[in-house]
Amino acid sequence: MKVVLQNLTKKFPNRNRKAAGDVIAVNDFTFEIPDGKLVGLLGPSGCGKSTTLFMICGLQEPTAGKIFFGDDDVTALPPEKRGVGVVFQNYALYPHLTVKQNIIFPLQNLKGADKLSKAQMEEKAYEAAKLVQIEELMERKPGELSGGQQQRVAIARAMVKMPKVLLLDEPLSNLDARLRLQTREEIRRIQRETGITTVFVTHDQEEAMSISDIIVVMKDGVVQQTGRPQDVYDNPANLFVAKFLGTPPINVFEGTVRNGRLYIGDADVLAVQGISDQEVTVGIRPEGFILDENGPLACRLSGVEVMGRDISVVSMNEFSVNPTVRSIIDAENQVNTACDTVRFSLKPNKVLLFTKDTEQRIYVS
Ligand code: ADP
Ligand code: MG
């Protein structure tokens, strides 16, 4: 089921009476979620992710704009008529019901032709439980389950009606790191197996990048960029997106373009054809540095961390916006820690330029 968001806007009255105007939680969001894809809705806390999700599921009414499921305008439909399955951050399981009863719950309100017998409901509950591998836990109460198991129950409950659209709001944030990894792979597997169009909300860029077919990066209610995770990482449209994606984060420097060359301080680091002379903000991905004793960029060495496959070199540079510069180098390289200075040359495709005022990307031809 394709989902189309058309100029979707949500305003809330301002809670702070001293501040003027409404809070624009979501501002003119237009996007088409292709059938069967998993879209990661990504951005910092408060950027409008949950509000967007709640509008798609029908729990919140848009101030303006429309939502289509396939060709049907569902903007005015209540949640139960939309055919959506929702998983919230805090599971929201019924504590006094067993796992089985929790999963069956959404099926009990079906009316008329859709009404199911007890046996049919149980069968569907077992199918959903199998999907998330909790068949052995059906008679337990939520209080007798781990966080990860509870989250699986919540997913099974969302899946039991075979929704047309699955909506997940930070579903992994209450889990510990290892379980988070495992459960996200599980969600990906289930999504692939069932082909259900899915929106996955998270503030965790790594999570969104690893699980999504497409990511949508939001800031202050406004979509910044959409695209395949790797494409958005390689080609961020602005400094915000560049900084939001990637661990360790992109290194940011003050730079200058003069006569087709990029300077960081006095260091002539790169050719940048077709860009007029100006001051720029320079983003360099950690993997964009090459150890090179004749390299143009000199940094003061402050530490080296060996991380198995890679070496993380921590250094300082006067023109770095952040206190330290982090570069990731292949572990086959040797860093001479007796030296105060480490020199780098740069991989051109890992160096991104942004205008100083608007922080929009400047594309090097
Ligand atoms: P996210 O899920 O990305 O953290 P939300 O969608 O929850 O962000 O919130 C977006 C903005 O809308 C925030 O500024 C938040 O304070 C505001 N907001 C959300 N829900 C309400 C509400 N019911 N009433 C007033 N403001 C709200
Ligand atoms: Mg939220």
Side-chain angles (χ1 to χ4, degrees), residues 12-13 15 23 25 43-52 60 169-170 201:
F12 292 108
R15 285 176 184 143
V23 176
S45 173
C47 73
K49 304 180 297 293
S50 294
T51 305
T52 303
Q60 248 159 20
D169 191 1
E170 313 240 10
V201 162

Side-chain angles (χ1 to χ4, degrees), residues 210-258:
S210 63
I211 203 175
S212 310
D213 295 307
I214 304 167
I215 56 170
V216 175
V217 185
M218 291 180 81
K219 178 195 173 199
D220 298 336
V222 180
V223 172
Q224 304 292 304
Q225 193 170 0
T226 63
R228 294 196 356 235
Q230 190 67 43
D231 293 343
V232 179
Y233 178 83
D234 289 339
N235 268 311
N238 59 42
L239 185 61
F240 173 82
V241 175
K243 281 159 82 171
F244 202 75
L245 300 185
T247 39
I250 196 163
N251 297 283
V252 182
F253 295 84
E254 293 164 2
T256 315
V257 173
R258 248 180 292 133

Side-chain angles (χ1 to χ4, degrees), residues 47-281:
C47 73
K49 304 180 297 293
S50 294
T51 305
T52 303
L53 201 80
F54 291 164
M55 288 194 282
I56 298 173
C57 82
L59 289 170
Q60 248 159 20
E61 189 189 343
T63 311
K66 288 198 163 119
I67 301 164
F68 296 86
F69 283 8
D71 295 326
D72 299 333
D73 184 345
V74 301
T75 317
L77 280 187
E80 63 274 14
K81 297 238 168 92
R82 292 192 186 191
V84 293
V86 190
V87 177
F88 298 103
Q89 180 175 347
N90 54 357
Y91 326 139
L93 300 176
Y94 301 107
H96 57 287
L97 300 183
T98 64
V99 167
K100 185 163 77 186
Q101 289 164 334
N102 263 285
I103 300 174
I104 281 178
F105 195 83
L107 299 175
Q108 287 174 330
N109 306 322
L110 295 174
K111 303 256 154 55
D114 295 333
K115 199 169 160 52
L116 298 174
S117 72
K118 188 151 180 289
Q120 286 171 318
M121 286 195 268
E122 289 214 355
E123 194 188 323
K124 282 191 184 289
Y126 271 97
E127 275 171 25
K130 223 167 137 190
L131 207 55
V132 296
Q133 297 165 354
I134 50 163
E135 310 98 288
E136 318 83 51
L137 307 175
M138 292 297 255
E139 301 308 325
R140 291 207 205 166
K141 298 269 175 69
E144 299 161 343
L145 302 177
S146 71
Q149 289 168 333
Q150 290 185 42
Q151 191 60 305
R152 284 159 192 257
V153 178
I155 295 169
R157 189 176 57 181
M159 299 292 291
V160 74
K161 276 201 212 171
M162 273 298 151
K164 290 181 267 188
V165 180
L166 181 63
L167 304 168
L168 307 166
D169 191 1
E170 313 240 10
L172 309 179
S173 51
N174 289 335
L175 307 181
D176 67 48
R178 204 171 55 89
L179 207 53
R180 206 154 54 219
L181 208 71
Q182 194 187 334
T183 313
R184 98 180 174 207
E185 279 161 16
E186 199 84 326
I187 290 175
R188 188 58 178 148
R189 177 185 62 78
I190 294 167
Q191 195 275 333
R192 285 243 167 88
E193 268 178 35
T194 58
I196 294 178
T197 308
T198 300
V199 182
F200 183 101
V201 162
T202 177
H203 64 273
D204 180 336
Q205 58 89 23
E206 203 232 320
E207 197 167 281
M209 297 272 285
S210 63
I211 203 175
S212 310
D213 295 307
I214 304 167
I215 56 170
V216 175
V217 185
M218 291 180 81
K219 178 195 173 199
D220 298 336
V222 180
V223 172
Q224 304 292 304
Q225 193 170 0
T226 63
R228 294 196 356 235
Q230 190 67 43
D231 293 343
V232 179
Y233 178 83
D234 289 339
N235 268 311
N238 59 42
L239 185 61
F240 173 82
V241 175
K243 281 159 82 171
F244 202 75
L245 300 185
T247 39
I250 196 163
N251 297 283
V252 182
F253 295 84
E254 293 164 2
T256 315
V257 173
R258 248 180 292 133
N259 300 324
R261 307 290 310 181
L262 173 65
Y263 292 85
I264 293 176
D266 289 334
D268 173 349
V269 294
L270 217 58
V272 284
Q273 259 89 49
I275 296 178
S276 55
D277 290 5
Q278 60 189 297
E279 292 188 3
V280 291
T281 300

